[in-house]
Amino acid sequence: MKKRIISLALVGVMAFSGLVGCGAKAPAQEAAGAKTETAKEAEAVAEPAKEEVADTAAADNFKVGITLQSLENSYWAGVFGEVEKLLKEKGWEYTILACNDNSATQIQQIENFITNQVNLIMVHPSDPNAIEDYLKQARDAGIKVMCWDDAMTNTDLNWILDNTKLGYVIGQEAANFINENYPDGSVAEVAIMNYPQTPILLERETGILNALEEIAGGKYKVVAQQPALDAQAAITNMETILQANPDTKIVCSIGAGGDIGANQAFMTKMEGNIPDDMGIFSADATQQQLEAIVNGEATRASVGFEGSNKKTAEAVVDLYERLLNGETFAEQNLVRPLLVIDSSNAAEYLADYK
């Protein structure tokens, strides 16, 4: 079987390369950061690819197409670096692409996966409503469809979080920290690193704000709410926040990017000497976040899911395999667990990255 490597160049502080698809007709577009074959090359391999679909499926050598909202975020880069390793070990054909939060690009990627007769499509949607009909087309073509993060209709399985609850747990950790470190009469200045244009991340922000108000009402004020899906944007935004509000010491972030960027900004401002009343609270629990917790930096707690990138990758690839082998799930929506990782257990989970 002719194989082709598609390289994705990732930008940001967690730069990553090598999330690729290998196969006779791997779907790729320049808009998604992938190299493309010439029309002549594509024509030359088209017919053999059709012949191989039945053979590879029969041998459990599946073809998987994955399209993600972004790979600039350290969480996604880390998890799908591990996913790639597992898919290589299984000998499956795969393509992992980022749509860069562009639904038109994601639609094109899904259409290409259908054309190339993959056995399974996993999508992390930029806009769930924009791709429902295209996922239906995939299922009508006999392709298994899995969604990560959104409770969609035209899927075999949705792997989701209760994002309002997740946000609440983040806010709860921050609120408890405020109550412990800010005596009566003092008010903590809080910055929120958000991404409201994505509905599930707006749900997280809502959960954060609800917990802060319920648990630490009257002891804090939100001085800024800035988008920060990736760390580089978070660094810039946090520096701007600190210029306007130099007493800001608490950050709540919807994900790893805002946490990592805010931590770097705080570390620079404080010259590495983080005071006891400064803290960042977030989701994702990536390796870089856990290292910051263990090292006594500004990151205080992060809400994870399976425990590490490796464990998350193992969990999602297991779901791929179960779907591809014909398993049906009692519920279309499979809710992931929540796990608070802080100074009491960060070293334990960090060890899984080594």
Side-chain angles (χ1 to χ4, degrees), residues 97-344:
L97 299 174
C99 73
N100 300 323
D101 204 15
N102 185 306
S103 59
T105 300
Q106 191 158 61
I107 288 168
Q108 188 176 49
Q109 292 166 349
I110 293 167
E111 289 180 324
N112 286 344
F113 291 154
I114 296 169
T115 299
N116 284 278
Q117 299 177 305
V118 301
N119 303 113
L120 178 141
I121 294 172
M122 195 215 81
V123 59
H124 176 239
S126 173
D127 179 354
N129 293 328
I131 62 172
E132 280 281 13
D133 289 345
Y134 298 92
L135 297 186
K136 183 178 186 302
Q137 290 177 25
R139 296 188 78 207
D140 288 346
I143 298 169
K144 298 291 184 181
V145 176
M146 175 178 169
C147 178
W148 182 319
D149 262 359
D150 290 89
M152 299 188 67
T153 300
N154 293 300
T155 58
D156 295 278
L157 183 68
N158 299 314
W159 203 38
I160 63 173
L161 293 164
D162 182 335
N163 280 283
T164 302
K165 182 178 180 181
L166 170 57
Y168 191 94
V169 175
I170 295 168
Q172 176 180 271
E173 293 299 308
N176 289 337
F177 182 87
I178 291 169
N179 286 334
E180 291 170 8
N181 290 278
Y182 288 79
D184 292 341
S186 62
V187 175
E189 294 192 9
V190 178
I192 307 294
M193 293 296 187
N194 62 11
Y195 201 73
Q197 52 266 58
T198 298
I200 61 168
L201 299 182
L202 179 58
E203 290 174 10
R204 290 189 197 180
E205 182 181 11
T206 299
I208 289 170
L209 294 172
N210 287 344
L212 286 170
E213 187 58 30
E214 288 180 17
I215 301 169
K219 301 195 71 173
Y220 77 96
K221 64 176 179 179
V222 175
V223 296
Q225 292 168 267
Q226 290 289 329
L229 192 60
D230 64 87
Q232 192 57 54
I235 292 171
T236 301
N237 289 338
M238 195 66 214
E239 289 172 345
T240 301
I241 291 168
L242 290 172
Q243 288 173 2
N245 303 278
D247 293 330
T248 303
K249 291 185 177 180
I250 306 294
V251 172
C252 294
S253 175
I254 51 86
D259 182 332
I260 293 167
N263 182 60
Q264 183 167 330
F266 276 146
M267 289 290 286
T268 299
K269 175 181 172 65
M270 306 308 299
E271 297 181 343
N273 298 311
I274 301 299
D276 291 341
D277 60 353
M278 179 175 283
I280 302 169
F281 305 86
S282 68
D284 294 340
T286 65
Q287 179 176 357
Q288 194 167 350
Q289 290 167 285
L290 300 190
E291 287 174 344
I293 294 172
V294 170
N295 293 335
E297 298 176 13
T299 301
R300 301 289 182 174
S302 187
V303 183
F305 316 111
E306 291 70 37
S308 69
N309 289 345
K310 182 178 179 181
K311 285 185 171 63
T312 297
E314 289 170 348
V316 75
V317 171
D318 177 66
L319 293 174
Y320 297 167
E321 191 158 30
R322 291 163 66 183
L323 285 168
L324 287 165
N325 285 324
E327 182 174 341
T328 57
F329 290 77
E331 300 289 340
Q332 186 182 19
N333 297 327
L334 181 61
V335 181
R336 299 167 69 191
L338 300 179
L339 173 67
V340 176
I341 301 179
D342 56 22
S343 60
S344 69

